[in-house]
């Protein structure tokens, strides 16, 4: 079958294959006995077929012998339940047994394959944290204590940082400190937040161990590990700094009408994590997944469309899970590039082949960049803290907040990067802060000076509330931003599920808010919109404040989508931000550029053809056809990649 595979790969234009991701038990079937002849054969076959390899370190799923001999390397849940072998990813990230065994395996892999001509990239582990983002076992408890000691130095400082006088939690000895295991009610929030930081760091340490072996024995070969979009447990800002190339796995739900918007957002995040460098779509499905309750198939053309979308958002490569649909095992009902049945009668195979052939015409895109005038502040620590329990409303969710701000940008083809609050923001015209519940002094200072220096900023409610210890910033909410925003929030009035409140804009336009409302006392800020009726009647709901050389807006409720779109449209226009293209609804337009040359991506997210007005002529790289200024026709789920004027 392997020879047939290579032939089919050539037919589909495949030039990079991820290999060996879950092969540990094959490569090392007994402790210390490495069997690589079979893998050599695959590597050689691929190379002979002109196909390069993204070779896995194979550490993502330990072999059964390891946990049989060392059950202490198995992870434990917060309830103390051990997770056994028999699925995958059953390891405690802090386990010296796991770390040692995986390091030895990577040493074997790296020395054996460093000079293999097929090797193009190293794939460390797989989707770190996907199934086991944190471990609560005794080994992890000890590692957590060491991590805390390094962070706080003394037990007194830990007590202060965690506010342990509340509920009699004061620790007198490091040995008393535990991971936030199952407790009668909420564990200490600062402890939970530190445990999330620790858990992200522990998995990163596993990655680092492998990374160090690879750079030593296989220098010059790029190293990656595949991300999972907005994956909460891992602080990808930290992780991406340790990767040569950012790669991502994207599994849109075809039954989600906003799937296209969500994968665009993920693409922008990946580009931003790589600080603008091109990334690679490491995994997507050719049609269905197997892990939802109902696994809706992609519509004909949708896989191709979403592949182009990744490229439009900055990817230089498009890959899949899985190559050939497996016959046995947990993922045999997951679609593949090559289906169970004959390829000749598979529409999916036809689309895979078409995409592969077309991508070969897109060399001009490789290495090109995306330029954004808008930045969206997004911080993992703030996300973790925001979604801890025991809040005025646990309905405020980080991803939903991001989407509320992203949706109008996506609909209008305005490009945005994601940034950390402490990043240099000077190249942006507009900064959006959908929610920044937790912020340190440095982040607050950076955002404030962005506005002072002439920038425009929009901040959402319940931002600037806690410091990095999860203690309240005192002095009136949101204390770190009160001067910049020209207001104080005197009281929070969260809205019940299903409750909404009228919002009246200064120009007479009306909308509504839900989820949240608050009593804003302005001190310099002007109301852009006010609440209408109820306890907050005529009090400000949305404000604007001229601060230094810039302008800061504040949004004190969750506006309905039309009002949010109207507000942001006014704001970005005033800030001098322009859309990529003003076209028909449902058509996504993006540009990548090389110097002053630009490539325009047009993506039709609708199942019917549409005409898009183009200002410039060019060439459609997808099929080499000339493009004229004027109306350009895109078929159902159609995609075009237009080299503009060159
Ligand atoms: C990813 C994983 C793959 C496969 C895929 C199924 O999470 O990396 O190995 O399980 O999902 O959609
Ligand atoms: Zn553990």
């Amino acid at each position: 079958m392997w020879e047939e595979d290579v032939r089919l790969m050539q037919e589909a234009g495949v030039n990079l294959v991820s290999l060996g991701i879950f092969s540990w038990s094959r490569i090392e079937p007994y402790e210390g006995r490495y069997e690589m002849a079979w893998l050599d054969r695959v590597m050689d076959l691929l190379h002979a077929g002109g196909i390069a390899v993204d070779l896995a370190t194979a550490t993502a799923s330990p072999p059964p012998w390891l946990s049989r001999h060392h059950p202490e390397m198995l992870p434990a849940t917060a309830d103390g339940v051990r997770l056994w072998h028999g699925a995958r990813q059953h390891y405690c990230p802090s386990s010296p047994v796991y770390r040692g065994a995986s390091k030895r395996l990577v040493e074997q892999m790296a020395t054996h394959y460093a000079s293999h001509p097929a090797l193009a990239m190293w794939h460390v582990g797989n989707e770190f944290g996907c199934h086991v983002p944190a471990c609560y076992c005794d080994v992890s408890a000890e590692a957590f204590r060491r991590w805390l000691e390094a962070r706080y130095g003394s037990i007194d400082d830990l007590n202060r940082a965690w506010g342990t006088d509340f509920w009699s939690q004061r620790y007198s000895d490091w040995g008393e400190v535990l991971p936030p295991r199952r407790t009668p009610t909420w564990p200490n929030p600062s402890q939970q937040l530190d445990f999330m930081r620790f858990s992200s760091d522990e998995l990163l340490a596993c990655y680092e161990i492998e990374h160090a072996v690879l750079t030593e024995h296989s220098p010059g070969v790029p190293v990656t590990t595949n991300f999972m979009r907005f994956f909460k447990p891992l602080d990808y800002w930290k992780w991406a700094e340790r990767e040569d190339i950012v790669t991502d796995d994207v599994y849109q739900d075809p039954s989600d009408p906003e799937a296209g918007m969500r994968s665009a957002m993920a693409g922008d995040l990946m580009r931003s994590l790589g600080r603008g460098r091109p990334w690679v779509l490491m995994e997507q499905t050719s049609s269905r997944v197997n892990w939802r309750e109902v696994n809706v198939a992609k519509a004909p053309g949708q896989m191709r469309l979403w592949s182009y979308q990744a490229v439009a958002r900055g990817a230089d490569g498009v890959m899949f899970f899985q190559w050939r649909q497996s016959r046995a095992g947990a993922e045999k009902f997951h679609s593949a590039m090559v289906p169970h049945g004959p390829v000749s009668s598979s529409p999916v195979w036809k689309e895979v082949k078409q995409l592969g052939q077309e991508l070969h015409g897109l060399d001009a895109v490789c290495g090109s960049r995306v330029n954004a005038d808008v930045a969206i502040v997004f911080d993992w620590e703030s996300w973790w803290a925001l979604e801890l329990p025991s809040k005025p409303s646990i309905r405020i969710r980080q991803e939903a907040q991001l989407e509320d701000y992203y949706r109008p940008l996506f609909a209008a083809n305005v490009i945005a990067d994601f940034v950390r609050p402490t990043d240099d923001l000077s190249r942006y015209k507009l900064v959006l802060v959908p929610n920044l519940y937790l912020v340190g002094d440095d982040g607050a200072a950076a955002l404030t000076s962005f506005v002072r220096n002439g920038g425009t900023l929009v901040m959402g409610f319940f931002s600037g509330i806690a410091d990095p210890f999860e203690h309240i910033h005192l002095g009136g909410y949101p204390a770190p931003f009160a001067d910049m925003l020209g207001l104080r929030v005197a009281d929070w009035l969260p809205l019940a599920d299903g409750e909404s409140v009228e919002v009246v804009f200064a120009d007479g336009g009306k909308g509504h808010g839900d989820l949240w409302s608050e009593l804003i006392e302005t001190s310099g800020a002007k109301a852009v919109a006010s609440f209408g009726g109820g306890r907050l009647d005529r009090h400000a709901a949305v404000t604007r404040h001229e601060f230094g050389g810039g302008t800061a807006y504040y949004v004190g409720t969750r506006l309905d989508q039309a009002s949010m779109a109207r507000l942001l449209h006014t704001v970005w226009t005033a800030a001098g931000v322009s859309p990529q293209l003003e076209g028909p609804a449902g058509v996504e337009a993006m540009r990548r550029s090389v110097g002053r040359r630009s490539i325009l991506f047009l993506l039709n997210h609708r199942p019917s053809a549409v005409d898009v007005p183009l200002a410039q002529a060019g060439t459609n790289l997808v099929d080499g056809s000339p493009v004229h200024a004027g109306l350009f026709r895109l078929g159902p789920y159609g995609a075009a990649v237009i080299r503009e004027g060159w």
Side-chain angles (χ1 to χ4, degrees):
M1 195 179 270
W2 291 350
E3 266 130 45
E4 162 84 351
D5 280 340
V6 173
R7 202 189 53 71
L8 288 173
M9 284 176 189
Q10 288 169 331
E11 201 179 312
V14 170
N15 57 4
L16 183 66
V17 164
S18 295
L19 188 64
I21 296 181
F22 298 104
S23 295
W24 191 345
S25 66
R26 269 277 180 184
I27 297 168
E28 191 184 0
Y30 305 93
E31 185 155 15
R33 198 164 109 197
Y34 298 95
E35 294 181 1
M36 301 192 193
W38 68 273
L39 191 54
D40 294 350
R41 238 190 92 211
V42 184
M43 293 284 285
D44 294 348
L45 270 173
L46 288 168
H47 180 62
I51 298 158
V53 173
D54 162 43
L55 186 59
T57 57
T59 54
S61 193
W65 56 256
L66 187 67
S67 32
R68 182 187 180 196
H69 297 159
H70 304 280
E72 74 277 15
M73 60 74 64
L74 291 168
T77 66
D79 291 289
V81 175
R82 283 267 170 200
L83 302 176
W84 297 92
H85 65 247
R88 63 175 177 184
Q89 247 184 49
H90 47 279
Y91 62 85
C92 161
S94 305
S95 163
V97 172
Y98 169 74
R99 288 182 177 192
S102 61
K103 183 167 180 235
R104 284 189 295 280
L105 175 67
V106 183
E107 276 160 359
Q108 293 292 323
M109 294 291 283
T111 47
H112 191 82
Y113 290 109
S115 53
H116 196 286
L119 179 68
M121 175 156 82
W122 283 108
H123 186 105
V124 177
N126 190 65
E127 293 192 337
F128 274 93
C130 173
H131 308 301
V132 184
C135 177
Y136 297 77
C137 79
D138 288 343
V139 175
S140 295
E142 193 45 46
F144 185 40
R145 285 177 207 120
R146 282 196 303 273
W147 185 92
L148 290 166
E149 263 193 271
R151 185 176 176 85
Y152 295 111
S154 76
I155 197 82
D156 275 351
D157 283 339
L158 175 92
N159 278 311
R160 229 186 322 277
W162 285 10
T164 53
D165 285 321
F166 199 79
W167 284 0
S168 180
Q169 294 167 354
R170 173 163 282 274
Y171 297 101
S172 48
D173 184 84
W174 284 106
E176 295 158 5
V177 179
L178 292 172
R181 289 180 178 160
R182 183 73 64 222
T183 42
T185 181
W186 314 300
N188 181 300
S190 309
Q191 175 194 13
Q192 292 188 68
L193 180 59
D194 271 342
F195 188 66
M196 288 169 163
R197 293 180 172 121
F198 159 79
S199 299
S200 175
D201 284 359
E202 282 298 272
L203 282 165
L204 183 55
C206 294
Y207 170 87
E208 297 271 14
I209 290 168
E210 299 195 26
H211 187 274
V213 174
L214 295 171
T215 27
E216 186 190 337
H217 297 292
S218 177
V221 179
V223 180
T224 192
T225 183
N226 44 347
F227 288 166
M228 291 162 280
R229 319 215 273 189
F230 287 83
F231 182 63
K232 187 175 169 186
L234 302 187
D235 184 346
Y236 283 158
W237 286 120
K238 271 186 159 181
W239 281 68
E241 283 171 9
R242 306 295 303 132
E243 286 189 308
D244 296 311
I245 179 161
V246 170
T247 60
D248 196 29
D249 298 350
V250 179
Y251 291 98
Q252 297 97 337
D253 184 351
S255 73
D256 170 9
E258 293 201 301
M261 186 266 286
R262 300 209 155 92
S263 46
M265 190 162 125
D268 289 343
L269 176 66
M270 292 306 136
R271 182 184 70 249
S272 306
L273 290 171
R275 300 303 182 177
R277 284 174 292 144
W279 55 282
V280 166
L281 176 61
M282 176 61 77
E283 289 185 20
Q284 63 170 335
T285 181
S286 59
S287 179
R288 279 173 286 107
V289 297
N290 62 305
W291 40 262
R292 295 193 177 100
E293 290 195 12
V294 177
N295 298 294
V296 173
K298 288 181 179 171
Q302 214 163 33
M303 180 278 287
R304 175 175 171 270
L305 174 78
W306 283 337
S307 298
Y308 278 113
Q309 184 191 48
V311 180
R313 301 270 153 191
D316 271 7
V318 173
M319 300 174 73
F320 294 82
F321 170 84
Q322 51 193 334
W323 163 248
R324 187 186 278 275
Q325 194 165 10
S326 38
R327 186 180 184 191
E331 297 187 310
K332 56 185 171 292
F333 293 112
H334 194 290
S335 296
M337 298 165 84
V338 178
H340 285 146
V343 286
S344 53
S345 56
S346 161
V348 167
W349 170 251
K350 216 174 136 217
E351 196 171 320
V352 163
K353 237 171 69 173
Q354 183 194 347
L355 176 71
Q357 284 155 4
E358 288 172 358
L359 288 179
H360 280 280
L362 261 63
D363 285 356
V365 173
C366 287
S368 62
R369 300 294 180 114
V370 172
N371 298 314
D373 289 331
V374 182
I376 303 174
V377 174
F378 167 54
D379 181 64
W380 258 271
E381 297 204 353
S382 181
W383 183 3
W384 295 336
L386 172 71
E387 295 184 2
L388 289 171
S390 177
K391 289 286 185 338
S393 169
I394 59 162
R395 296 279 185 271
I396 310 175
R397 311 304 288 179
Q398 182 66 63
E399 277 185 278
Q401 282 293 125
L402 290 173
E403 286 171 2
D404 285 345
Y405 284 70
Y406 190 85
R407 188 174 289 113
L409 304 182
F410 178 70
N413 295 311
V414 170
I415 308 180
D417 288 339
F418 287 92
V419 293
R420 278 177 132 165
T422 46
D423 284 345
D424 173 16
L425 303 170
S426 54
R427 68 193 162 97
Y428 297 106
K429 294 176 177 163
L430 172 63
V431 169
L432 304 175
V433 191
N435 178 273
L436 191 63
Y437 165 77
L438 177 151
V439 68
D441 294 343
D442 46 356
L447 294 174
T448 306
S449 51
F450 169 75
V451 179
R452 191 181 289 116
N453 295 334
T456 303
L457 181 144
V458 184
M459 181 170 278
F461 54 87
F462 210 49
S463 294
I465 303 304
D467 70 13
F469 300 111
E470 236 292 272
H471 297 190
I472 300 297
H473 285 293
L474 295 179
Y477 317 123
F481 300 119
D483 290 347
M484 175 186 87
L485 297 169
L487 56 79
R488 283 217 147 63
V489 175
D491 203 6
W492 293 318
L493 304 169
L495 298 173
D497 295 344
E499 192 184 357
S500 75
V501 49
E502 193 180 57
V503 174
V504 186
F505 284 80
D507 64 5
K510 282 186 182 165
H512 65 266
D514 66 3
L515 184 79
W516 186 263
S517 67
E518 51 188 27
L519 177 57
I520 296 171
E521 282 177 354
T522 55
S523 52
K526 299 266 177 311
V528 171
S530 304
F531 291 109
R535 280 161 75 177
L536 294 171
D537 191 31
R538 287 198 287 270
H539 284 283
V542 179
T543 63
R544 186 181 68 225
H545 185 226
E546 312 300 327
F547 177 76
T551 310
Y553 291 80
Y554 182 70
V555 185
T557 184
R558 180 170 74 185
L559 291 173
D560 64 275
Q561 291 185 12
S563 301
M564 192 64 180
R566 217 152 52 88
L567 173 69
L568 289 186
H569 189 272
T570 313
V571 172
W572 79 58
T573 308
V577 174
S578 34
Q580 294 298 297
L581 183 111
E582 295 192 37
V587 173
E588 177 182 347
M590 276 292 290
R591 267 188 193 80
R592 290 183 62 169
S593 37
V594 196
R596 263 185 278 117
R597 296 175 149 186
S598 61
I599 300 166
L600 173 68
F601 288 76
L602 294 177
L603 308 166
N604 181 11
H605 287 269
R606 301 188 313 186
S608 49
V610 64
D611 290 320
V612 185
L614 293 184
Q616 248 196 92
T619 307
N620 184 1
L621 298 174
V622 169
D623 57 11
S625 61
V627 173
H628 308 288
L631 287 184
F632 179 85
R633 171 142 296 205
L634 274 176
Y637 296 117
V641 182
I642 302 168
R643 207 170 59 190
E644 293 181 298
W646 57 289

